[in-house]
Amino acid sequence: MTQQLSIGILGAGRVGTAVGRQAVRAGHRVRIATDKPADEIKLLTEVIVPGAEAVDKDQLRGSDIIVVAVPLHKYRSIDTEVLQGHVVIDTMNYWAPVDGVMQEFESGRSTSEVVADFFGDVRLVKTLNHIGYGDLEVDSHPAGTPGRRALALAADDDDAKQLVAAFIDSLGYDAVDAGALSAGKAFENGTEIFNGRHTAEQMTGLLEQCQRVLAGV
Ligand SMILES: NC(=O)c1ccc[n+]([C@@H]2O[C@H](COP(=O)([O-])OP(=O)(O)OC[C@H]3O[C@@H](n4cnc5c(N)ncnc54)[C@H](OP(=O)(O)O)[C@@H]3O)[C@@H](O)[C@H]2O)c1
């Protein structure tokens, strides 16, 4: 049986609500917040994520996992105090036509490494960035289903990665370890992984291929 987790979600847009719905379905306790008072997203939460609770962002403290689902060009507006000491999922992607050119994301590092530096004392796990919000429900299948879709995870903290892997499995996906946070580049915008549906076996092959390219072999 899936371990019930308390899931905090920062961002009540397309991704935040889609992850919230799947997490409620999986039996987790879900709290959703934005930068605004809880009252402002209460109705939206009741209608779009039934079973979840709209809260002020401070109330996300103590969650087993906090999912950050905010447009990347706004990442510097995030109240990082709330995140300190937590396992945090970074769902955010950089796409210059939408986000505008941001020099820190043009350096060749994974966007999540830049975000991790800004967030401070968090155990950041990059995942859920490479699945469309509209696919999250339809592509979800129980463990063991042939052809089950896989999602990759990258993080520098193995315990955090394991916890998030269990969460991803509960949402209906095989979790594939991509390695350190820097390896998250393999499933950022523009990559084959980002643009497709893959099983765990296919995902593993694509990640290995990407590592070989990065290592120049
Ligand atoms: N769209 C997809 O299919 C998809 C899939 C995977 C990953 N992603 C990535 O996920 C991220 C979110 O995308 P989205 O489509 O969900 O965006 P969205 O629909 O625009 O929703 C963004 C949410 O973030 C909130 N927000 C903005 N600034 C905030 C802050 N400083 N603190 C707390 N909350 C804040 C917004 O609240 P207000 O409305 O009050 O400003 C809104 O609820 C992006 O980086 C995107 O690249 C998108």
Side-chain angles (χ1 to χ4, degrees):
M1 195 182 118
T2 306
Q3 181 198 356
Q4 194 203 32
L5 300 169
S6 59
I7 304 296
I9 299 181
L10 192 63
R14 288 164 289 201
V15 174
T17 55
V19 173
R21 272 195 305 278
Q22 279 303 106
V24 168
R25 247 177 227 131
H28 302 299
R29 178 186 180 195
V30 178
R31 286 174 292 188
I32 304 187
T34 64
D35 221 14
K36 298 176 178 150
D39 272 356
E40 295 195 24
I41 58 161
K42 193 167 182 289
L43 181 61
L44 173 145
T45 302
E46 277 169 15
V47 173
I48 304 188
V49 199
E53 185 188 0
V55 297
D56 292 334
K57 62 177 185 280
D58 288 349
Q59 291 175 265
L60 297 184
R61 282 202 182 93
S63 301
D64 293 314
I65 298 173
I66 299 180
V67 180
V68 174
V70 170
L72 191 55
H73 62 268
K74 292 190 174 166
Y75 83 101
R76 286 190 174 275
S77 72
I78 293 170
D79 180 357
T80 56
E81 280 306 307
V82 172
L83 307 177
Q84 298 310 294
H86 288 88
V87 173
V88 173
I89 295 180
D90 175 15
T91 69
M92 300 182 289
N93 292 306
Y94 175 56
W95 192 36
V98 167
D99 293 304
V101 174
M102 299 174 76
Q103 285 309 328
E104 66 266 50
F105 298 121
E106 300 282 342
S107 69
R109 299 173 80 203
S110 162
T111 60
S112 294
E113 292 178 278
V114 176
V115 167
D117 287 349
F118 178 70
F119 281 179
D121 179 23
V122 307
R123 292 183 283 158
L124 196 68
V125 182
K126 183 186 190 78
T127 190
L128 288 172
N129 68 306
H130 54 297
I131 179 165
Y133 75 99
D135 296 334
L136 205 60
E137 180 181 349
V138 287
D139 284 354
S140 162
H141 292 290
T145 304
R148 192 189 200 210
R149 185 169 175 176
L151 295 176
L153 293 86
D156 292 334
D157 184 304
D158 285 339
D159 291 341
K161 204 158 37 179
Q162 250 181 36
L163 178 70
V164 172
F167 175 57
I168 293 295
D169 181 64
S170 77
L171 298 185
Y173 298 86
D174 284 347
V176 176
D177 186 353
L181 200 55
S182 57
K185 274 199 77 63
F187 50 98
E188 290 185 352
N189 206 344
T191 63
E192 190 170 342
I193 293 175
F194 187 88
N195 290 316
R197 287 179 165 82
H198 307 286
T199 63
E201 193 183 347
Q202 291 164 336
M203 179 74 79
T204 303
L206 286 167
L207 289 167
E208 283 170 4
Q209 197 179 311
C210 186
Q211 272 167 5
R212 282 197 297 274
V213 170
L214 290 174
V217 289

